[in-house]
Amino acid sequence: MSSDKHSSSLGNENAGRDVSQGPQSAADSVANAFSGQLAQVQADLAEARARSVALEAELTNAHAEAQASADARVAEISLMKRNAAIREAAIGVGFVDMDCLPLLDTSRVSISEDGSIVGVDDAFSALKSNKPFLFSCKDGENRKTSAARPAVAPRERTPVFSSVRDMTDAEYRASLKRVAPSYARRSN
């Protein structure tokens, strides 16, 4: 019996180990599985953070580019408004040749906060005092020199229509000479 006792005591020890190893190995496998999942989640989180930082940097760059593009468009529109105001003022003061606009000192011409153009009149008055030949005469001013004179429009003639049947022979021949001189020569 002693061997039987010994085997039963070994069986109890083994049984105790099997029981203790059984739950221990199950807990270890669950812990290993959770630690593996935890490592994967931590890696995914690190990757997501890196992607987030990259996207934030890309968004910041896109925002800066959009702001620079908008600022460039605003500057372009302001320049167009300024040039249009200069051309409008040039026509208003009687500037003769628009090709001579580069002679105008536009360094003091600017756009105010409310959007109006400031300094155009002063620039044209300075140019007019230096180069008066670039401006047409207004209000009876007499100039000694002129770059260009406005053409006088011809008077409008209203045509006088009369019936050929009501004309005398001399009137018919005169109107025929005015309208068709070569035909009038043949009919004589």
Side-chain angles (χ1 to χ4, degrees), residues 6 15 19 29 35 40-41 65-66 78 82 86 93 106 113 125 128 140 143 151 167 182:
H6 181 53
V19 171
S29 66
S35 67
Q40 181 64 36
V41 167
E65 288 176 7
S78 296
R82 182 175 157 252
I86 289 172
V93 296
T106 59
E113 300 263 336
S125 63
K128 193 170 190 176
R143 286 192 334 204
M167 291 183 187
S182 62

mmCIF file of all heavy atoms in Angstrom, residues 6 15 19 29 35 40-41 65-66 78 82 86 93 106 113 125 128 140 143 151 167 182:
data_model
loop_
_atom_site.group_PDB
_atom_site.id
_atom_site.type_symbol
_atom_site.label_atom_id
_atom_site.label_comp_id
_atom_site.label_asym_id
_atom_site.label_seq_id
_atom_site.Cartn_x
_atom_site.Cartn_y
_atom_site.Cartn_z
ATOM 1 N N HIS A 6 1.868 6.041 -2.066
ATOM 2 C CA HIS A 6 2.792 6.949 -2.713
ATOM 3 C C HIS A 6 2.247 7.399 -4.073
ATOM 4 O O HIS A 6 2.313 8.555 -4.419
ATOM 5 C CB HIS A 6 4.151 6.272 -2.852
ATOM 6 C CG HIS A 6 5.191 7.109 -3.483
ATOM 7 N ND1 HIS A 6 5.506 8.360 -3.056
ATOM 8 C CD2 HIS A 6 6.021 6.879 -4.541
ATOM 9 C CE1 HIS A 6 6.459 8.867 -3.796
ATOM 10 N NE2 HIS A 6 6.792 7.960 -4.719
ATOM 11 N N ALA A 15 -2.369 15.962 -9.469
ATOM 12 C CA ALA A 15 -3.700 16.511 -9.685
ATOM 13 C C ALA A 15 -3.725 17.971 -9.257
ATOM 14 O O ALA A 15 -4.331 18.808 -9.903
ATOM 15 C CB ALA A 15 -4.731 15.696 -8.904
ATOM 16 N N VAL A 19 -4.372 20.969 -11.849
ATOM 17 C CA VAL A 19 -5.435 21.934 -11.581
ATOM 18 C C VAL A 19 -4.838 23.327 -11.513
ATOM 19 O O VAL A 19 -5.372 24.262 -12.084
ATOM 20 C CB VAL A 19 -6.178 21.578 -10.262
ATOM 21 C CG1 VAL A 19 -7.121 22.680 -9.866
ATOM 22 C CG2 VAL A 19 -6.885 20.261 -10.394
ATOM 23 N N SER A 29 -2.494 32.350 -21.178
ATOM 24 C CA SER A 29 -2.857 32.483 -22.585
ATOM 25 C C SER A 29 -3.771 33.691 -22.813
ATOM 26 O O SER A 29 -3.639 34.412 -23.795
ATOM 27 C CB SER A 29 -3.502 31.197 -23.110
ATOM 28 O OG SER A 29 -4.741 30.962 -22.472
ATOM 29 N N SER A 35 -2.103 40.985 -24.067
ATOM 30 C CA SER A 35 -0.883 41.769 -24.247
ATOM 31 C C SER A 35 -0.571 41.917 -25.735
ATOM 32 O O SER A 35 -0.105 42.962 -26.181
ATOM 33 C CB SER A 35 0.290 41.146 -23.484
ATOM 34 O OG SER A 35 0.636 39.891 -24.043
ATOM 35 N N GLN A 40 -0.801 45.632 -30.302
ATOM 36 C CA GLN A 40 -1.339 46.001 -31.620
ATOM 37 C C GLN A 40 -2.097 47.322 -31.546
ATOM 38 O O GLN A 40 -1.946 48.183 -32.404
ATOM 39 C CB GLN A 40 -2.264 44.887 -32.140
ATOM 40 C CG GLN A 40 -2.859 45.151 -33.500
ATOM 41 C CD GLN A 40 -1.796 45.234 -34.580
ATOM 42 O OE1 GLN A 40 -0.803 44.517 -34.549
ATOM 43 N NE2 GLN A 40 -1.994 46.130 -35.523
ATOM 44 N N VAL A 41 -2.910 47.499 -30.501
ATOM 45 C CA VAL A 41 -3.670 48.744 -30.328
ATOM 46 C C VAL A 41 -2.718 49.912 -30.108
ATOM 47 O O VAL A 41 -2.915 51.006 -30.652
ATOM 48 C CB VAL A 41 -4.682 48.602 -29.163
ATOM 49 C CG1 VAL A 41 -5.252 49.937 -28.764
ATOM 50 C CG2 VAL A 41 -5.788 47.640 -29.546
ATOM 51 N N GLU A 65 -0.974 78.194 -48.017
ATOM 52 C CA GLU A 65 -1.015 78.392 -49.468
ATOM 53 C C GLU A 65 -2.299 79.089 -49.893
ATOM 54 O O GLU A 65 -2.276 79.978 -50.746
ATOM 55 C CB GLU A 65 -0.891 77.055 -50.191
ATOM 56 C CG GLU A 65 0.486 76.443 -50.137
ATOM 57 C CD GLU A 65 0.530 75.070 -50.792
ATOM 58 O OE1 GLU A 65 -0.474 74.647 -51.413
ATOM 59 O OE2 GLU A 65 1.581 74.418 -50.679
ATOM 60 N N ALA A 66 -3.413 78.694 -49.303
ATOM 61 C CA ALA A 66 -4.696 79.335 -49.636
ATOM 62 C C ALA A 66 -4.683 80.798 -49.218
ATOM 63 O O ALA A 66 -5.173 81.665 -49.959
ATOM 64 C CB ALA A 66 -5.841 78.601 -48.952
ATOM 65 N N SER A 78 -6.731 94.834 -56.265
ATOM 66 C CA SER A 78 -6.441 96.208 -55.849
ATOM 67 C C SER A 78 -5.651 96.940 -56.923
ATOM 68 O O SER A 78 -5.917 98.112 -57.214
ATOM 69 C CB SER A 78 -5.656 96.213 -54.541
ATOM 70 O OG SER A 78 -6.422 95.678 -53.506
ATOM 71 N N ARG A 82 -6.853 100.179 -58.949
ATOM 72 C CA ARG A 82 -6.002 101.373 -58.968
ATOM 73 C C ARG A 82 -5.745 101.815 -60.410
ATOM 74 O O ARG A 82 -5.878 102.995 -60.743
ATOM 75 C CB ARG A 82 -4.693 101.050 -58.260
ATOM 76 C CG ARG A 82 -3.746 102.180 -58.163
ATOM 77 C CD ARG A 82 -2.533 101.749 -57.310
ATOM 78 N NE ARG A 82 -1.415 102.559 -57.628
ATOM 79 C CZ ARG A 82 -0.353 102.174 -58.310
ATOM 80 N NH1 ARG A 82 -0.257 100.937 -58.723
ATOM 81 N NH2 ARG A 82 0.617 102.998 -58.571
ATOM 82 N N ILE A 86 -6.934 105.236 -62.294
ATOM 83 C CA ILE A 86 -5.970 106.119 -62.960
ATOM 84 C C ILE A 86 -6.415 106.392 -64.384
ATOM 85 O O ILE A 86 -6.396 107.537 -64.843
ATOM 86 C CB ILE A 86 -4.557 105.500 -62.910
ATOM 87 C CG1 ILE A 86 -4.009 105.558 -61.484
ATOM 88 C CG2 ILE A 86 -3.621 106.210 -63.876
ATOM 89 C CD1 ILE A 86 -2.712 104.801 -61.284
ATOM 90 N N VAL A 93 -9.392 114.259 -66.846
ATOM 91 C CA VAL A 93 -8.578 115.478 -66.892
ATOM 92 C C VAL A 93 -8.142 115.821 -68.300
ATOM 93 O O VAL A 93 -7.451 116.821 -68.505
ATOM 94 C CB VAL A 93 -7.338 115.377 -65.960
ATOM 95 C CG1 VAL A 93 -7.750 115.254 -64.526
ATOM 96 C CG2 VAL A 93 -6.412 114.281 -66.380
ATOM 97 N N THR A 106 3.002 107.277 -59.877
ATOM 98 C CA THR A 106 1.927 106.607 -59.146
ATOM 99 C C THR A 106 2.373 106.132 -57.768
ATOM 100 O O THR A 106 1.669 105.351 -57.132
ATOM 101 C CB THR A 106 1.402 105.404 -59.949
ATOM 102 O OG1 THR A 106 2.486 104.515 -60.182
ATOM 103 C CG2 THR A 106 0.788 105.845 -61.259
ATOM 104 N N GLU A 113 -8.779 102.672 -46.839
ATOM 105 C CA GLU A 113 -9.466 101.600 -46.110
ATOM 106 C C GLU A 113 -10.885 101.362 -46.642
ATOM 107 O O GLU A 113 -11.357 100.242 -46.676
ATOM 108 C CB GLU A 113 -9.547 101.949 -44.621
ATOM 109 C CG GLU A 113 -8.208 102.139 -43.966
ATOM 110 C CD GLU A 113 -7.745 100.899 -43.263
ATOM 111 O OE1 GLU A 113 -8.588 100.086 -42.903
ATOM 112 O OE2 GLU A 113 -6.527 100.757 -43.103
ATOM 113 N N SER A 125 -2.130 116.438 -61.508
ATOM 114 C CA SER A 125 -1.807 117.863 -61.475
ATOM 115 C C SER A 125 -0.301 118.083 -61.537
ATOM 116 O O SER A 125 0.172 119.021 -62.191
ATOM 117 C CB SER A 125 -2.409 118.531 -60.231
ATOM 118 O OG SER A 125 -1.839 117.982 -59.057
ATOM 119 N N LYS A 128 0.614 117.444 -65.113
ATOM 120 C CA LYS A 128 0.121 118.529 -65.964
ATOM 121 C C LYS A 128 1.010 119.759 -65.836
ATOM 122 O O LYS A 128 1.227 120.475 -66.818
ATOM 123 C CB LYS A 128 -1.320 118.876 -65.589
ATOM 124 C CG LYS A 128 -2.015 119.748 -66.603
ATOM 125 C CD LYS A 128 -3.487 119.852 -66.298
ATOM 126 C CE LYS A 128 -4.211 120.513 -67.427
ATOM 127 N NZ LYS A 128 -5.650 120.541 -67.216
ATOM 128 N N GLY A 140 -11.645 126.778 -72.574
ATOM 129 C CA GLY A 140 -11.090 127.927 -73.272
ATOM 130 C C GLY A 140 -9.622 128.172 -73.002
ATOM 131 O O GLY A 140 -9.129 129.253 -73.277
ATOM 132 N N ARG A 143 -3.353 126.937 -75.649
ATOM 133 C CA ARG A 143 -2.042 126.330 -75.547
ATOM 134 C C ARG A 143 -1.250 126.699 -76.778
ATOM 135 O O ARG A 143 -1.787 126.871 -77.862
ATOM 136 C CB ARG A 143 -2.165 124.811 -75.495
ATOM 137 C CG ARG A 143 -2.670 124.310 -74.205
ATOM 138 C CD ARG A 143 -2.502 122.836 -74.109
ATOM 139 N NE ARG A 143 -2.488 122.234 -75.455
ATOM 140 C CZ ARG A 143 -2.808 120.994 -75.699
ATOM 141 N NH1 ARG A 143 -3.156 120.222 -74.727
ATOM 142 N NH2 ARG A 143 -2.762 120.510 -76.908
ATOM 143 N N ALA A 151 -10.780 115.993 -83.465
ATOM 144 C CA ALA A 151 -11.367 116.228 -84.782
ATOM 145 C C ALA A 151 -12.787 116.733 -84.622
ATOM 146 O O ALA A 151 -13.530 116.295 -83.757
ATOM 147 C CB ALA A 151 -11.364 114.942 -85.591
ATOM 148 N N MET A 167 -39.348 116.815 -110.897
ATOM 149 C CA MET A 167 -38.171 117.608 -111.243
ATOM 150 C C MET A 167 -38.288 118.155 -112.658
ATOM 151 O O MET A 167 -38.886 117.544 -113.531
ATOM 152 C CB MET A 167 -36.902 116.757 -111.161
ATOM 153 C CG MET A 167 -36.490 116.342 -109.803
ATOM 154 S SD MET A 167 -34.941 115.439 -109.965
ATOM 155 C CE MET A 167 -34.752 114.888 -108.312
ATOM 156 N N SER A 182 -20.756 109.169 -114.084
ATOM 157 C CA SER A 182 -20.417 108.477 -115.334
ATOM 158 C C SER A 182 -21.667 108.240 -116.175
ATOM 159 O O SER A 182 -21.637 108.324 -117.390
ATOM 160 C CB SER A 182 -19.728 107.141 -115.031
ATOM 161 O OG SER A 182 -20.590 106.289 -114.308
#
